[in-house]
Amino acid sequence: ASANDRSIIVQSTTSTKNSGLYNVLLPQFKKATGITVHIVAVGTGQAIRNARNCDGDVLLVHAKGAEQKFVTDGFGTKRHDLMYNDFVFVGPPSDSAKITGSKSASDTLKKIATSKAIFASRGDDSGTHKKERTLWQAAGIDPTPSSGKWYRETGSGMGATLNIAVGMGAYAMTDRATWIAFKNKRDFKVLVEGDKALFNQYGITAVSAKKCPSVKTKLAETFSAWLRSKSGQSAIAAYKRNGQQLFFPNAVTN
Amino acid sequence: MQDVSSAFWIAFGLVAGLDADLLEIIALSLRVSLFALVISCLIGLPVGAVLAIARFRGRSAVLIALNALMGLPPVVVGLIVYLHLSRAGPLGWLNLLYTPTAMIIAQAILITPIIAALSRQILEDLHTEYAEQFRSLSVPAHTMMQALIWDARFSLLTVALAGFGRAIAEVGAVIIVGGNIDHLTRVMTTAIALETSKGDLPLALALGIVLLVIALTVNGLVMALRMTAGRQAYA
Amino acid sequence: MQDVSSAFWIAFGLVAGLDADLLEIIALSLRVSLFALVISCLIGLPVGAVLAIARFRGRSAVLIALNALMGLPPVVVGLIVYLHLSRAGPLGWLNLLYTPTAMIIAQAILITPIIAALSRQILEDLHTEYAEQFRSLSVPAHTMMQALIWDARFSLLTVALAGFGRAIAEVGAVIIVGGNIDHLTRVMTTAIALETSKGDLPLALALGIVLLVIALTVNGLVMALRMTAGRQAYA
Amino acid sequence: MRDAPSHGFASLLPLQTCDLTFTAANGSRLIHGIDLTLDAGSLTVVMGPNGAGKSVFLRLLHGLLEPTGGTIKYAGEPLSDAIRKRQALVFQKPVLLRRSVAANIDFVLKLRARPGSTQPDPVRRDELLDQVGLLDRAAQPARQLSGGEQQRLALARALATRPDILFLDEPTASLDPASTLMIEQITSDAHAAGTKIICVTHDVAQARRLAGDVVFLSNGHLIETANADDFFSNPKSREAQAYLEGRLIV
Amino acid sequence: MRDAPSHGFASLLPLQTCDLTFTAANGSRLIHGIDLTLDAGSLTVVMGPNGAGKSVFLRLLHGLLEPTGGTIKYAGEPLSDAIRKRQALVFQKPVLLRRSVAANIDFVLKLRARPGSTQPDPVRRDELLDQVGLLDRAAQPARQLSGGEQQRLALARALATRPDILFLDEPTASLDPASTLMIEQITSDAHAAGTKIICVTHDVAQARRLAGDVVFLSNGHLIETANADDFFSNPKSREAQAYLEGRLIV
Ligand SMILES: Nc1ncnc2c1ncn2[C@@H]1O[C@H](COP(=O)(O)OP(=O)(O)OP(=O)(O)O)[C@@H](O)[C@H]1O
Ligand SMILES: Nc1ncnc2c1ncn2[C@@H]1O[C@H](COP(=O)(O)OP(=O)(O)OP(=O)(O)O)[C@@H](O)[C@H]1O
Ligand SMILES: [Mg+2]
Ligand SMILES: [Mg+2]
């Protein structure tokens, strides 16, 4: 990829990639602008790290705090809200902790903790994992002493963690997009959803040419702007799997 | 590149500090890979020996398949073991998924073809030398296999070390069947993968260095043993 | 277990359908791994030959290190190559990150020690036979190396096939330096990893079967070549 | 101690070949339709120039090579595993295991031990080594032995099987005069005890000392079989005459 | 065609050993302080019982083994690579490359070719093969040759280096009478052309035919060196007497 081709690299979370969203967005974008987009899907931490090494032109993740630090450190031009969905708790139908129908995330986690039902945590410092830890904190529980017992930190991506949860009949928290697109559900179902605390915001940031002279800021800005434009946002809204919408656009269009 | 040099410092600190968590991970890595290696040798060496001496229709096809199996992708092995051991799978009742045993099974499946294919070659080379003498003495097949394996034992050590290297460095299969669960099934390679996905590249590299130190230690011990044995008995 | 049988059907469909995307992925897999293998043989065979014939102080240490390097974890190799090729790295100006070339480099680093260590063993075994005769004829070292490699070429094929197997099945390194980018750096193993993380286990398994078919084909071709060569010239 | 046949089985003799033919994988015919009968009672020496096919012929008789034509019968029976087990062959280039001298004998003793007794008999091993003058070398790696010592060890290993038929392929080629006589004595003793000896040699003097009858091969053809006295005093074929006179056979 | 020394370098002779001693890695002393001077002009035959150390001695003289004591000098110079290149050794058990007969010769011709000419000379190769009677076998794999043919090929390979000193370790041990005479003729010719021959043999008749002087070893000790006529008519040492009479040396 030489400097003058019309292509950019996006460092992205795996959830957006695995959901198949890019498969519909990128052809439309290419048609509109002629720019080719290459997606590198890795863990949130690795994505930010790669972008800090100037190995991407755009960062698309869901860890607002880390993204903002990325910008204040001078690596990103500006962070924009792009879209959202929500997190859900999934588990086996037997539901030994009886979490089905719980109103809040806190309730759910308390029930899991008291019944010592097996819970598969990502344990990888990803956006999802950070969110999960905030929720435990809010519920007033510290699961870490039970690590390796009922609290299983998989240290893996979302898909791998879901495979593990399904394999051992454990509860897990996942973003809805990954879950809907996930094919190894077996008898697992969404058991808890809808709490405001489970909101999941995705952001987009163009990498700054100040720190990374080699990045194609212009093309990156074009991609970011298009995604936040009417056509980009409606393309996001139109993307469905199994009849369900996966992402809800919420960029501040201008 | 700074990462690389800082990785050495971190690695040094990790080893010097002898962190309990790290020791646990190292111990599990060694346990899983050495166990898998023993199983693979118990299966792979006889298979290699049989293929080295037996001449039968379709032998070429078997050799092609065996050599091809050296290219068995770890993820695929992981998936197959996962599907068998999963709750829904035929062996689900054994409750082995996400245990070190599952990881041993997966690694053993992965490296048995390597041990078998490489030892086949070495034993066959020795067999071209011994074949007529053995046939003249009417040596039964199993005695022949034993004799070949014994007389080639020092060359076969390199094969075993190749298998060990493959096992200890392997991540794709163990992460699927082991799950990289902290304090339960986390080994060096899955820990490295985790730190990498967290973006903590210096720590990941440092763990990699520690892993290489482990591999060096094991190889050094084996070499020392080999030299003692070579001095005592005759090669 | 149903997954396993459906995987076979999907694999069959994939192969029968000869999907253009799949062909692209297969072609890239082969290109990367074969290229890496050629590089590794060009480096590893001479290194193996030198170590087979040379006797020097510290040779044991070198052999231990070489054997240990067979346990080089792919993720670590991936990271090191990444840190060098990253735009922030010393070779960033080459713009090689996320290209097939980067993947070739990573795989070559990974399998060169394997080729070197295994060929060392095989060449050393042959050398014990030839050594005195060569020394009597005052054969210079490079001629000796050439002669050993040539006369052991059929045994070394198995070593090369082991290296190929390791390369074609490898995922940890290529996914870091290649990025698993669609239509650019996606190979069979990274595609399998992707489908696994999507939970599409039958498709992942099917791709694994296709990968094994590729490995089988390559091994079959090599064996056919070997037999033709063995018939024409003398082994 | 007996090195002679250790059992009361029926004799393997006469050994009969009928139109025995062998063609190598590369298409060259190494043995051309040999018809031969060898009986018990006399020690057979096989002679012929280099490349005549003597070693190939022994390999065929011992079942190491499969004839491409013709038949081999031992007392009317085709060659079987049971018959092969009652034979031993000392190769022209002995292949010794990468083990000690003693372990090379032990390997064979264990192989032929009665089922149940898995330990080789150390007394018999030492007897055998003593017989070929290698007892003081028992612990040495076999491949370190001198050329002549290796040949003697190979003979001891063959005797360890107590064969009914013993094929010897130039067993004294690199032995000193004393060892040569020693091996000839062992051979004669075995012969006297009822073992059928079929021995290849280029040493005409040795052949005269040992042979009861002579089989002469050249170029893969059976040229002459004769009683030893007749053969040496009055060879019938031009080839045998030339051979004995040390002339090149064209 | 010349198989004799191919250059005008200074002679390598006399060959002198002084207190030459060799102790194996396992601690056993194989050669005990040998003092010996071999001059140009006479063909030297080395004799001695099996295990006497003849092959080890040749290996030491040819620089394949490092003496653990004493010195070896060629015309006053210590053994060097340059000197070693002007020697050749035919091993008791020849090791042939896993290639064709012709390729085994070509390998050596290429090795000794003048710098620049990387192609072996096919005419010279064919001459050499013809000399040992293997020309019609050029294309055959060397390891398929019969025992005697392999030994002849090994000799041709040694001659291909046009050595100034040629060590032969039982070169005719498994040759037929005609080939034996042929090899003796080649050896005598080379000797006549100025090549120093040092030949190990157990064949007393052959030693009588060839030897100018005899070196007799036993048990790693130099027992006797003598003019050949004197040695065979009147051996001085008890060991040599016993050897020639075919008695075991204790
Ligand atoms: N596998 C083979 N393919 C082709 N030719 C072969 C093969 N094996 C042996 N030969 C040839 O067959 C001929 C007979 O070989 P053999 O070893 O029987 O000779 P021999 O009579 O024992 O000679 P020597 O006295 O030298 O030992 C030789 O010319 C040899 O080159
Ligand atoms: N590496 C070694 N370590 C210990 N002993 C050895 C070694 N090599 C040879 N020997 C012993 O040294 C002695 C001399 O061996 P050598 O091969 O020189 O005998 P030789 O005189 O050539 O006998 P032959 O006539 O049988 O060829 C033998 O007894 C042999 O066992
Ligand atoms: Mg022969
Ligand atoms: Mg010798």
Side-chain angles (χ1 to χ4, degrees):
Chain A
S2 80
N4 51 10
D5 28 273
R6 310 243 317 143
S7 71
I8 53 171
I9 289 172
V10 175
Q11 294 286 349
S12 158
T13 60
T14 40
S15 55
T16 40
K17 167 96 184 178
N18 289 2
S19 70
L21 175 64
Y22 294 122
N23 294 345
V24 295
L25 291 187
L26 300 187
Q28 293 186 27
F29 175 65
K30 168 115 191 191
K31 212 165 164 196
T33 63
I35 300 170
T36 309
V37 178
H38 297 312
I39 305 291
V40 175
V42 289
T44 306
Q46 199 178 353
I48 293 173
R49 178 63 186 224
N50 288 349
R52 275 177 177 261
N53 281 346
C54 312
D55 295 321
D57 304 291
V58 174
L59 182 66
L60 200 165
V61 293
H62 60 148
K64 196 163 179 177
E67 292 165 59
Q68 277 165 343
K69 183 159 188 313
F70 184 75
V71 173
T72 47
D73 287 351
F75 286 97
T77 50
K78 189 167 190 300
R79 178 198 173 278
H80 300 278
D81 280 345
L82 179 62
M83 59 192 185
Y84 69 91
N85 61 6
D86 59 344
F87 292 106
V88 296
F89 286 92
V90 298
S94 55
D95 189 16
S96 58
K98 307 254 175 312
I99 64 169
T100 310
S102 295
K103 284 280 154 330
S104 73
S106 292
D107 271 1
T108 308
L109 292 178
K110 278 178 196 151
K111 284 180 191 165
I112 290 172
T114 40
S115 64
K116 294 194 165 41
I118 298 179
F119 182 86
S121 161
R122 297 253 318 245
D124 64 350
D125 244 355
S126 60
T128 307
H129 185 223
K130 284 177 178 145
K131 182 75 176 191
E132 179 210 310
R133 275 201 308 230
T134 328
L135 294 175
W136 283 112
Q137 221 166 10
I141 301 167
D142 179 9
T144 42
S146 310
S147 177
K149 295 177 193 114
W150 61 266
Y151 187 66
R152 306 274 170 90
E153 294 180 81
T154 65
S156 306
M158 195 68 252
T161 303
L162 286 174
N163 279 329
I164 291 170
V166 169
M168 61 188 177
Y171 294 103
M173 190 185 99
T174 168
D175 66 281
R176 196 184 287 273
T178 302
W179 178 251
I180 291 173
F182 189 68
K183 293 217 174 139
N184 186 29
K185 297 191 183 82
R186 310 275 154 170
D187 52 358
F188 267 48
K189 296 218 160 48
V190 172
L191 301 179
V192 175
E193 61 190 322
D195 186 352
K196 278 225 178 56
L198 292 172
F199 183 73
N200 180 25
Q201 177 67 51
Y202 289 86
I204 187 165
T205 310
V207 179
S208 164
K210 282 206 194 89
K211 286 268 181 177
C212 295
S214 58
V215 301
K216 301 166 191 159
T217 317
K218 224 167 156 197
L219 302 187
E221 294 286 11
T222 311
F223 182 58
S224 169
W226 183 83
L227 279 182
R228 288 178 286 118
S229 74
K230 262 224 173 70
S231 27
Q233 294 276 294
S234 51
I236 291 172
Y239 182 59
K240 291 201 166 78
R241 292 283 291 257
N242 309 330
Q244 288 173 276
Q245 183 174 343
L246 271 60
F247 297 99
F248 299 85
N250 68 345
V252 184
T253 40
N254 39 11
Chain B
M1 285 330 300
Q2 205 184 329
D3 287 340
V4 175
S5 56
S6 63
F8 275 98
W9 284 109
I10 298 172
F12 186 76
L14 284 174
V15 174
L18 273 185
D19 179 38
D21 279 8
L22 183 62
L23 278 180
E24 191 186 338
I25 295 178
I26 292 175
L28 187 64
S29 283
L30 279 175
R31 197 178 117 208
V32 168
S33 295
L34 288 175
F35 220 118
L37 179 63
V38 168
I39 295 173
S40 296
C41 286
L42 287 178
I43 302 170
L45 289 180
V47 169
V50 165
L51 289 173
I53 62 177
R55 292 293 173 275
F56 51 89
R57 268 176 70 87
R59 179 170 179 270
S60 308
V62 173
L63 293 191
I64 290 173
L66 183 62
N67 286 339
L69 283 176
M70 291 196 286
L72 208 52
V75 178
V76 172
V77 172
L79 283 179
I80 290 172
V81 174
Y82 169 87
L83 288 171
H84 281 84
L85 297 185
S86 149
R87 276 183 317 136
L91 304 175
W93 53 275
L94 288 173
N95 267 320
L96 285 179
L97 199 60
Y98 309 118
T99 65
T101 309
M103 299 158 83
I104 292 170
I105 294 172
Q107 286 196 348
I109 293 176
L110 200 62
I111 61 176
T112 299
I114 297 175
I115 302 280
L118 292 175
S119 63
R120 195 272 308 164
Q121 183 66 57
I122 286 189
L123 294 173
E124 194 170 322
D125 289 351
L126 181 61
H127 186 57
T128 52
E129 201 187 322
Y130 281 3
E132 274 211 321
Q133 181 64 57
F134 278 170
R135 184 148 163 69
S136 166
L137 291 168
S138 298
V139 179
H142 66 270
T143 312
M144 224 188 270
M145 285 164 52
Q146 276 170 12
L148 286 174
I149 291 174
W150 178 251
D151 284 11
R153 61 193 180 284
F154 293 132
S155 299
L156 291 176
L157 260 190
T158 306
V159 172
L161 290 174
F164 174 74
R166 175 76 184 245
I168 195 92
E170 191 283 319
V171 59
V174 289
I175 207 165
I176 291 178
V177 303
N180 187 24
I181 297 167
D182 213 0
H183 302 299
L184 206 60
T185 56
R186 181 160 301 167
V187 289
M188 291 299 293
T189 52
T190 58
I192 293 170
L194 173 59
E195 294 310 329
T196 304
S197 79
K198 282 187 193 169
D200 196 345
L201 306 193
L203 181 52
L205 270 182
L207 288 170
I209 294 167
V210 174
L211 180 55
L212 275 179
V213 171
I214 299 171
L216 270 173
T217 312
V218 170
N219 276 276
L221 286 175
V222 168
M223 179 76 100
L225 262 173
R226 183 208 178 299
M227 293 209 294
T228 324
R231 237 177 268 126
Q232 281 174 358
Y234 157 60
Chain C
M1 287 330 301
Q2 203 183 329
D3 287 341
V4 177
S5 56
S6 62
F8 276 96
W9 284 110
I10 297 171
F12 186 75
L14 284 174
V15 174
L18 275 183
D19 181 35
D21 280 8
L22 183 63
L23 278 180
E24 190 185 340
I25 295 178
I26 291 175
L28 187 64
S29 285
L30 279 174
R31 197 179 115 208
V32 168
S33 296
L34 289 175
F35 220 119
L37 178 63
V38 169
I39 296 173
S40 297
C41 286
L42 287 178
I43 302 170
L45 289 180
V47 169
V50 165
L51 290 173
I53 62 177
R55 292 292 173 275
F56 51 89
R57 270 177 67 87
R59 180 170 180 271
S60 307
V62 173
L63 292 191
I64 290 173
L66 183 63
N67 285 340
L69 283 178
M70 291 196 286
L72 208 52
V75 178
V76 171
V77 172
L79 283 180
I80 290 171
V81 174
Y82 167 79
L83 288 171
H84 281 83
L85 298 186
S86 158
R87 286 191 193 153
L91 302 176
W93 53 275
L94 287 172
N95 268 318
L96 285 179
L97 196 64
Y98 304 132
T99 65
T101 309
M103 300 158 82
I104 292 171
I105 294 172
Q107 286 195 349
I109 293 176
L110 199 63
I111 61 176
T112 299
I114 298 175
I115 303 281
L118 293 175
S119 63
R120 195 273 307 164
Q121 183 66 58
I122 286 189
L123 294 173
E124 194 170 322
D125 289 350
L126 181 61
H127 186 57
T128 51
E129 201 187 322
Y130 281 2
E132 275 212 320
Q133 182 64 56
F134 278 169
R135 187 153 160 64
S136 165
L137 290 169
S138 298
V139 179
H142 66 270
T143 312
M144 222 187 270
M145 283 163 52
Q146 277 170 12
L148 286 174
I149 292 175
W150 178 252
D151 283 12
R153 62 194 181 284
F154 293 132
S155 299
L156 292 176
L157 259 189
T158 306
V159 172
L161 290 174
F164 174 74
R166 175 76 182 246
I168 195 90
E170 192 282 321
V171 62
V174 289
I175 207 165
I176 291 178
V177 302
N180 189 23
I181 298 170
D182 224 356
H183 300 301
L184 197 62
T185 57
R186 179 160 303 161
V187 289
M188 291 300 294
T189 52
T190 58
I192 293 170
L194 177 62
E195 294 309 328
T196 304
S197 78
K198 285 188 193 167
D200 197 343
L201 307 192
L203 181 52
L205 271 182
L207 288 170
I209 294 168
V210 174
L211 180 54
L212 275 179
V213 171
I214 299 171
L216 270 173
T217 312
V218 170
N219 276 276
L221 286 174
V222 168
M223 178 76 101
L225 261 172
R226 182 210 179 297
M227 292 210 293
T228 324
R231 239 176 267 127
Q232 281 175 358
Y234 158 61
Chain D
M1 177 187 146
R2 312 170 53 221
D3 291 317
S6 55
H7 40 68
F9 292 139
S11 166
L12 294 179
L13 299 168
L15 153 55
Q16 270 184 302
T17 72
C18 176
D19 195 23
L20 183 64
T21 302
F22 181 73
T23 308
N26 67 358
S28 57
R29 176 152 300 183
L30 306 181
I31 297 290
H32 297 260
I34 291 187
D35 295 302
L36 181 70
T37 303
L38 294 178
D39 253 314
S42 92
L43 195 155
T44 303
V45 165
V46 179
M47 302 189 85
N50 291 137
K54 304 180 295 297
S55 298
V56 169
F57 185 58
L58 288 198
R59 281 189 169 81
L60 286 166
L61 296 183
H62 188 37
L64 297 180
L65 290 173
E66 201 59 40
T68 51
T71 55
I72 301 171
K73 294 231 163 119
Y74 285 90
E77 296 288 318
L79 191 48
S80 65
D81 277 350
I83 293 176
R84 293 195 53 255
K85 274 205 179 161
R86 293 167 61 190
Q87 311 178 332
L89 191 158
V90 178
F91 287 88
Q92 190 169 357
K93 282 188 167 186
V95 177
L96 301 172
L97 297 185
R98 300 177 179 186
R99 306 184 184 182
S100 71
V101 169
N104 267 275
I105 301 290
D106 286 347
F107 181 78
V108 176
L109 288 179
K110 218 185 285 184
L111 211 58
R112 290 289 190 271
R114 249 169 300 257
S117 69
T118 52
Q119 281 313 304
D121 176 357
V123 177
R124 175 137 167 78
R125 178 231 292 160
D126 288 355
E127 269 176 11
L128 284 162
L129 288 178
D130 194 28
Q131 212 179 352
V132 297
L134 290 175
L135 189 51
D136 55 335
R137 307 219 158 261
Q140 203 178 333
R143 302 210 166 194
Q144 274 182 11
L145 292 180
S146 80
E149 289 164 348
Q150 293 201 15
Q151 228 167 5
R152 274 143 52 190
L153 177 56
L155 178 65
R157 184 170 62 179
L159 293 174
T161 66
R162 300 180 191 268
D164 289 316
I165 300 187
L166 178 58
F167 299 102
L168 300 172
D169 200 348
E170 306 189 30
T172 61
S174 48
L175 297 192
D176 62 42
S179 304
T180 302
L181 292 179
M182 176 173 98
I183 297 305
E184 286 178 13
Q185 190 60 52
I186 294 175
T187 309
S188 305
D189 289 352
H191 169 68
T195 303
K196 171 74 187 175
I197 310 275
I198 298 174
C199 176
V200 172
T201 184
H202 285 300
D203 183 340
V204 178
Q206 175 170 74
R208 281 176 192 270
R209 286 191 293 271
L210 289 181
D213 57 328
V214 175
V215 172
F216 190 83
L217 302 183
S218 177
N219 252 318
H221 293 273
L222 174 63
I223 304 291
E224 191 169 344
T225 56
N227 178 287
D229 293 338
D230 298 346
F231 181 82
F232 292 112
S233 58
N234 184 21
K236 281 190 220 79
S237 61
R238 201 174 50 82
E239 289 90 343
Q241 286 163 17
Y243 180 92
L244 292 174
E245 287 163 19
R247 282 190 283 118
L248 280 177
I249 299 174
V250 205
Chain E
M1 179 185 146
R2 311 170 52 220
D3 290 318
S6 55
H7 40 69
F9 294 141
S11 167
L12 293 179
L13 300 167
L15 154 55
Q16 270 184 305
T17 72
C18 176
D19 195 23
L20 183 65
T21 303
F22 181 75
T23 308
N26 68 358
S28 58
R29 176 153 301 185
L30 306 182
I31 297 291
H32 297 261
I34 291 187
D35 294 304
L36 181 69
T37 304
L38 294 179
D39 252 312
S42 94
L43 195 155
T44 303
V45 164
V46 180
M47 301 189 83
N50 291 136
K54 303 178 297 298
S55 298
V56 169
F57 186 57
L58 289 198
R59 280 188 170 80
L60 285 166
L61 296 183
H62 187 37
L64 296 180
L65 289 173
E66 199 62 37
T68 50
T71 55
I72 301 171
K73 294 232 165 114
Y74 284 91
E77 297 288 317
L79 190 50
S80 65
D81 276 350
I83 293 177
R84 292 193 54 254
K85 273 204 182 164
R86 294 167 61 190
Q87 311 178 332
L89 192 157
V90 178
F91 288 89
Q92 192 169 357
K93 282 187 168 187
V95 177
L96 301 173
L97 297 185
R98 301 178 178 185
R99 305 183 185 182
S100 71
V101 168
N104 267 276
I105 300 290
D106 286 347
F107 181 78
V108 176
L109 289 179
K110 219 184 286 184
L111 212 57
R112 289 290 188 273
R114 250 169 298 255
S117 70
T118 51
Q119 280 313 304
D121 175 357
V123 178
R124 176 138 167 78
R125 178 231 292 157
D126 288 355
E127 270 176 12
L128 285 161
L129 288 179
D130 194 30
Q131 215 180 350
V132 296
L134 290 175
L135 189 50
D136 56 335
R137 306 219 160 259
Q140 204 178 333
R143 301 209 165 193
Q144 274 182 11
L145 292 180
S146 81
E149 289 164 347
Q150 293 200 15
Q151 228 167 3
R152 275 143 52 189
L153 177 57
L155 177 65
R157 185 170 61 180
L159 293 175
T161 67
R162 298 179 191 270
D164 288 317
I165 300 186
L166 178 59
F167 298 103
L168 300 172
D169 200 348
E170 305 189 29
T172 61
S174 49
L175 297 193
D176 60 42
S179 303
T180 301
L181 292 179
M182 176 172 95
I183 298 304
E184 286 177 13
Q185 191 59 50
I186 295 175
T187 308
S188 306
D189 288 352
H191 170 66
T195 303
K196 171 75 187 176
I197 309 276
I198 299 175
C199 176
V200 173
T201 183
H202 286 301
D203 183 340
V204 178
Q206 175 170 72
R208 281 175 192 272
R209 285 191 296 269
L210 289 182
D213 59 325
V214 174
V215 172
F216 189 85
L217 301 182
S218 178
N219 251 321
H221 292 274
L222 175 63
I223 303 293
E224 191 168 345
T225 56
N227 177 287
D229 292 339
D230 296 349
F231 181 83
F232 291 112
S233 58
N234 185 20
K236 284 193 219 74
S237 62
R238 200 173 50 82
E239 289 90 343
Q241 285 162 18
Y243 181 90
L244 291 173
E245 289 164 17
R247 281 192 282 115
L248 278 177
I249 299 174
V250 207

